[in-house]
Amino acid sequence: MKTLLITREGYNKLKKELDFLWREDRPEVTKNVTWAASLGDRSENADYQYNKKRLREIDRRVRYLTKCLEQLKIVDYSPQQAGKVFFGAWVEIENDDGDTKRFRIVGYDEIFGRRDYISIDSPMARALLKKEVGDTATVETPAGIAYWTVNEIEYVKDAE
């Protein structure tokens, strides 16, 4: 079960994608389907088949995004979060070998296409929650237990 939280930035991005699909992409593809259908034999009409498939993909994504946006809870930065790792935080961590990582803890629907975002549901994020700078998090990984020390915690104040 994924946690139904999202940053305001992530919510706005999903909303923008939904608006684009519904107002621009779908009407264009629908027009192409109508045009391709007017050419006659649909069984061998690549334009028709491709655009029908694309239309199904758009509709599936629109349904998914609509459902998501209804269920997700936007989490804005709160001053009480300062100094501790919570949802929406940018965190820099370091292990005993001196390897450092920097990422933002966000909702599941925000991690795609971003290498510097991790899901709030990930073992790393769970281990880091409520930690402060200097604290060490114990993370269970497939390779065994890993220890990471929190170097820095930063929050982006989301603009509405």
Side-chain angles (χ1 to χ4, degrees), residues 61-146:
R61 183 71 178 159
V62 164
R63 277 192 307 274
Y64 176 79
L65 289 171
T66 303
K67 190 175 163 196
C68 262
L69 292 171
E70 287 170 3
Q71 295 176 337
L72 291 168
K73 179 182 180 333
I74 299 171
V75 177
D76 286 315
Y77 172 75
S78 160
Q80 292 100 314
Q81 292 174 272
K84 290 193 177 198
V85 177
F86 287 107
F87 185 85
W90 280 98
V91 185
E92 183 186 282
I93 56 175
E94 186 174 346
N95 66 10
D96 296 338
D97 298 332
D99 298 331
T100 61
K101 294 183 182 297
R102 180 177 157 80
F103 47 78
R104 187 175 190 196
I105 299 173
V106 296
Y108 171 79
D109 292 294
E110 299 177 78
I111 62 176
F112 302 100
R114 293 290 305 250
R115 296 190 64 135
D116 57 347
Y117 278 17
I118 65 168
S119 168
I120 183 73
D121 298 318
S122 69
M124 177 68 84
R126 291 279 182 219
L128 288 168
L129 285 177
K130 299 182 182 167
K131 297 283 188 263
E132 299 179 26
V133 172
D135 287 354
T136 299
T138 305
V139 186
E140 287 190 43
T141 71
I145 304 282

Side-chain angles (χ1 to χ4, degrees), residues 3 7 12 26 28 44 47 53 68 93 106 118 120 127 150:
T3 305
T7 62
N12 291 341
R26 193 177 193 286
E28 184 64 30
E44 294 180 20
D47 275 331
K53 180 176 183 274
C68 262
I93 56 175
V106 296
I118 65 168
I120 183 73
V150 178

Side-chain angles (χ1 to χ4, degrees), residues 145-160:
I145 304 282
Y147 300 97
W148 293 89
T149 302
V150 178
N151 284 346
E152 186 185 335
I153 303 165
E154 183 186 346
Y155 286 93
V156 177
K157 317 297 189 275
D158 287 321
E160 300 228 1

